Amino acid sequence: MPKLRLDKFLKDQGIASRSEARELIRKGSVSVNDVIVKNPGTHVNTDEDIINVKGEQVEYRQFVYYMLNKPKGVITATEDKTLKTVLDLFPDEIRRRGVFPVGRLDKDTEGLLLITNDGIFAHNLLSPKKGVKKLYEALLDSFPGEDAIKKFEEGVYIGDNYTALPAKLQYISKDPVRALVEICEGKFHQVKRMFKAVGASVIELKRLRMGNIRLDETLKPGQFRELTPEELCQGDGSSDTLFPKNRKNSTADTPDV
Ligand code: URA
């Protein structure tokens, strides 16, 4: 039976900070199954109990999933003393749920960044064993040549004793030089180092896809939205799904497909 302290329940659902939640409870603003409860330590059953705050029912959701169109200039971290982080783009109600970014984009990279509080979901996307594919669009300072396609396919040496796994490269235009690159790993500055290895510098970089989850191009940089049930159920490009079908308490119920 999934039991939680009432103050933690309210904090996890983003209603209030833990101390504000205690205050709300002590003031008599919270009821459990229509009975006002004034003890913050009361345990509630998240599957069965009906919790109201100031007369409004709080739906229990353990996990939440968002896609952010990360803008340039913010760092992929949960907090930082001086720099703006991707979580600074989210309101307190969501941050209180303990969300974190799935993987990392450089400060000057934009595009798809998933944000969740589900560690298993994040692991399934990030584990090197899963080899989840990531698609980027790059603006380059020069044309690295048609033979770069073959070099990427074979795996380029990116320094630090490391040769990148085979990757796909496709040019979109030659003036300016724009390319799509698909990689299945996530080393530090990976795409920039791969282009460096073939003689070009990345001027702009944008992530378009992670597994089968595509950036919603209607999101402006800095905007986010929840993942849809379909996005949650989509595979990672292999036969595995990112999201185990029978996980409970997701943001959205996973349809039986
Ligand atoms: N590769 C990079 O070089 N930077 C990123 O942010 C992501 C992939």
Side-chain angles (χ1 to χ4, degrees):
M1 238 190 262
K3 287 216 159 202
L4 267 186
R5 275 177 65 107
L6 186 54
D7 53 358
K8 179 158 175 14
F9 171 90
L10 295 179
K11 184 236 151 216
D12 287 354
Q13 297 314 296
I15 303 295
S17 69
R18 192 90 178 243
S19 58
E20 287 162 354
R22 284 189 199 120
E23 220 15 61
L24 278 172
I25 298 164
R26 289 200 183 102
K27 274 192 343 214
S29 304
V30 182
S31 68
V32 179
N33 303 326
D34 289 330
V35 177
I36 299 283
V37 168
K38 291 199 171 177
N39 177 2
T42 305
H43 280 79
V44 290
N45 181 327
T46 54
D47 275 354
E48 291 168 7
D49 291 333
I50 294 174
I51 290 110
N52 280 269
V53 176
K54 296 182 181 163
E56 288 230 7
Q57 189 172 338
V58 181
E59 293 289 344
Y60 180 68
R61 290 194 330 207
Q62 187 177 4
F63 299 119
V64 288
Y65 308 86
Y66 297 91
M67 81 161 60
L68 167 71
N69 185 357
K70 178 194 172 295
K72 291 177 195 163
V74 299
I75 60 165
T76 310
T78 50
E79 55 186 349
D80 192 90
K81 285 203 177 83
T82 49
L83 300 171
K84 189 165 174 173
T85 75
V86 289
L87 287 196
D88 290 332
L89 299 165
F90 286 77
D92 283 350
E93 308 85 275
I94 296 175
R95 295 171 57 146
R96 279 192 207 108
R97 289 176 174 274
V99 292
F100 56 87
V102 178
R104 215 180 142 271
L105 290 177
D106 296 337
K107 189 177 172 193
D108 58 357
T109 301
E110 59 180 358
L112 178 65
L113 187 66
L114 299 174
I115 306 282
T116 185
N117 56 354
D118 184 344
I120 294 177
F121 176 77
H123 172 81
N124 284 341
L125 280 163
L126 296 175
S127 164
K129 282 193 203 133
K130 304 263 176 188
V132 168
K133 296 183 184 114
K134 283 147 288 223
L135 181 70
Y136 294 86
E137 182 177 334
L139 172 66
L140 306 178
D141 71 335
S142 58
F143 181 56
E146 294 296 340
D147 56 341
I149 296 175
K150 190 147 181 285
K151 287 182 186 158
F152 272 34
E153 247 169 43
E154 288 165 357
V156 283
Y157 178 73
I158 58 172
D160 291 338
N161 269 327
Y162 190 75
T163 299
L165 292 172
K168 282 187 192 148
L169 171 64
Q170 186 192 329
Y171 294 112
I172 307 171
S173 65
K174 287 195 183 155
D175 188 17
V177 187
R178 286 193 178 278
L180 291 174
V181 58
E182 186 183 72
I183 58 175
C184 59
E185 53 188 340
K187 301 277 179 232
F188 185 61
H189 291 337
Q190 169 131 9
V191 173
K192 292 172 185 162
R193 288 159 71 195
M194 287 171 69
F195 278 113
K196 191 117 203 251
V198 292
S201 289
V202 172
I203 299 170
E204 281 177 12
L205 190 62
K206 180 175 180 180
R207 182 154 65 195
L208 303 178
R209 202 173 67 213
M210 194 163 182
N212 283 336
I213 302 177
R214 287 173 173 278
L215 175 67
D216 178 343
E217 296 278 0
T218 67
L219 294 173
K220 297 198 177 82
Q223 290 185 329
F224 62 86
R225 69 155 170 80
E226 288 195 51
L227 293 187
T228 64
E230 290 73 23
E231 285 165 337
L232 273 174
C233 276
Q234 274 168 1
D236 55 12
S238 68
S239 56
D240 296 336
T241 57
L242 295 175
F243 189 82
K245 250 191 181 174
N246 51 5
R247 280 303 276 292
K248 290 187 80 182
N249 296 318
S250 65
T251 296
D253 287 336
T254 52
D256 286 321
V257 285

